[in-house]
Amino acid sequence: MRFHMNGSSDDNEIVAATASAEHMRKFVFNKCNDDERDRDGVGSPETVIERLEIKIPEILQGAYSFYTWPSAPVLAHFLWERRQTLVCKRILELGAGTALPGILAAKCGAQVVLSDNCILPKSLAHIRKSCLANQLQPGVDIDVVGLSWGLLLNSVFRLPPLDLIIAADCFYDPTVFEDIIVTVAFLLERNRGAKFIFTYQERSADWSIEALLKKWKLHASSINMDEIGKQSGVDLLEFMGGHTIHLLEITLADQERVEDLVE
């Protein structure tokens, strides 16, 4: 499993935001009538039979966690097209940032915990702001917690039982790859039957997590993205902005073998 990553960002260097630096970005998720969708797969306003709008505050001059990177709407559309399966599911988003996928899951009826680095209070505050912008009250409708990848602190043990772990573009820096994998391996072992589904953006061909997956007894498989967005009548390439983005699922290696036998 080769990852294409290069470079890193220092979230400790947060630029002070001004009113003019912040803007509200809207993401619209539709369910279009299949019979009336045009030949390009794009639905007109008259064919939309279900709609969800999510508002995300962004600070373009701020650190990377204050901006919605292209991987996030891809994951969000993947979840949206499976929204019936999200109802009452217990979901954790790692490295939530602006939290688009997790907020969408919560709006679709999931019980969601949004997480980001516990030593970055401004990032956690921004997640809460994103929740409030979508009528989700932190601590009531959705939870926001600080976690540190690779460190099994009390906050990790206080997490509720989980059905699904999600993340958008967490593998941005090779120095944190094992920290993420360790955290995911622990959570999957603690919540057997759960899965980790994530998107990542190619940045370099020099990095791979294959050895880490083997070391921590995990299995990864690619998820086909060809149909994502068609239900909403959108072209994911517009969100990708010329980048190559992949969608993967990670499970415990022994869980994968059991599922193979069942199938």
Side-chain angles (χ1 to χ4, degrees):
M1 186 62 56
R2 183 156 297 281
F3 268 37
H4 307 279
M5 307 287 170
N6 189 24
S8 62
S9 300
D10 186 359
D11 207 3
N12 292 314
E13 297 178 2
I14 298 178
V15 180
T18 64
S20 61
E22 181 173 315
H23 74 109
M24 193 69 71
R25 187 174 175 187
K26 294 181 181 179
F27 294 87
V28 177
F29 301 85
N30 295 319
K31 170 64 172 75
C32 298
N33 188 322
D34 293 335
D35 295 333
E36 298 182 23
R37 191 174 298 153
D38 66 31
R39 69 181 63 186
D40 296 323
V42 178
S44 65
E46 293 75 21
T47 68
V48 174
I49 59 178
E50 191 174 349
R51 174 186 173 93
L52 173 64
E53 180 178 291
I54 295 179
K55 300 176 181 178
I56 298 294
E58 294 185 333
I59 303 174
L60 300 184
Q61 284 82 5
Y64 62 84
S65 61
F66 298 157
Y67 173 76
T68 307
W69 295 89
S71 292
V74 174
L75 179 59
H77 273 284
F78 173 81
L79 295 173
W80 167 251
E81 294 177 358
R82 291 153 182 78
R83 58 194 174 281
Q84 292 87 356
T85 69
L86 300 180
V87 178
C88 295
K89 284 291 191 298
R90 300 161 299 184
I91 298 176
L92 169 69
E93 181 171 6
L94 295 175
T98 59
L100 173 62
I103 287 174
L104 179 138
K107 299 294 282 188
C108 291
Q111 302 170 22
V112 177
V113 178
L114 303 172
S115 71
D116 216 316
N117 199 319
C118 62
I119 64 170
L120 299 174
K122 290 185 179 180
S123 293
L124 294 172
H126 194 78
I127 292 175
R128 296 186 183 96
K129 188 172 185 177
S130 293
C131 293
L132 292 172
N134 294 281
Q135 295 76 52
L136 295 172
Q137 182 66 42
V140 178
D141 306 306
I142 195 167
D143 289 314
V144 179
V145 301
L147 296 179
S148 287
W149 298 334
L151 297 177
L152 302 181
L153 304 178
N154 288 337
S155 55
V156 176
F157 290 93
R158 288 198 298 264
L159 289 171
L162 300 171
D163 300 303
L164 179 64
I165 305 165
I166 60 174
D169 213 5
C170 279
F171 292 93
Y172 55 84
D173 177 1
T175 64
V176 301
F177 283 7
E178 185 158 23
D179 291 339
I180 297 171
I181 293 297
V182 167
T183 302
V184 168
F186 175 80
L187 291 172
L188 292 179
E189 184 63 42
R190 193 174 173 86
N191 299 274
R192 297 190 70 86
K195 298 179 178 180
F196 175 41
I197 294 178
F198 66 100
T199 47
Y200 77 93
Q201 176 181 320
E202 288 189 9
R203 294 189 176 93
S204 171
D206 297 331
W207 302 99
S208 171
I209 60 168
E210 287 186 46
L212 293 174
L213 292 174
K214 184 176 181 180
K215 176 180 178 180
W216 294 99
K217 298 179 173 58
L218 298 174
H219 172 84
S221 57
S222 297
I223 299 175
N224 190 296
M225 295 173 52
D226 292 344
E227 299 298 315
I228 299 177
K230 290 187 177 180
Q231 187 181 110
S232 295
V234 300
D235 184 354
L236 285 187
L237 293 177
E238 297 178 6
F239 293 111
M240 294 182 185
H243 302 291
T244 299
I245 293 173
H246 301 280
L247 177 65
L248 283 86
E249 173 186 294
I250 288 181
T251 57
L252 294 174
D254 59 349
Q255 177 181 319
E256 176 69 19
R257 288 194 295 271
V258 170
E259 290 179 351
D260 288 342
L261 289 173
V262 172
E263 294 174 357

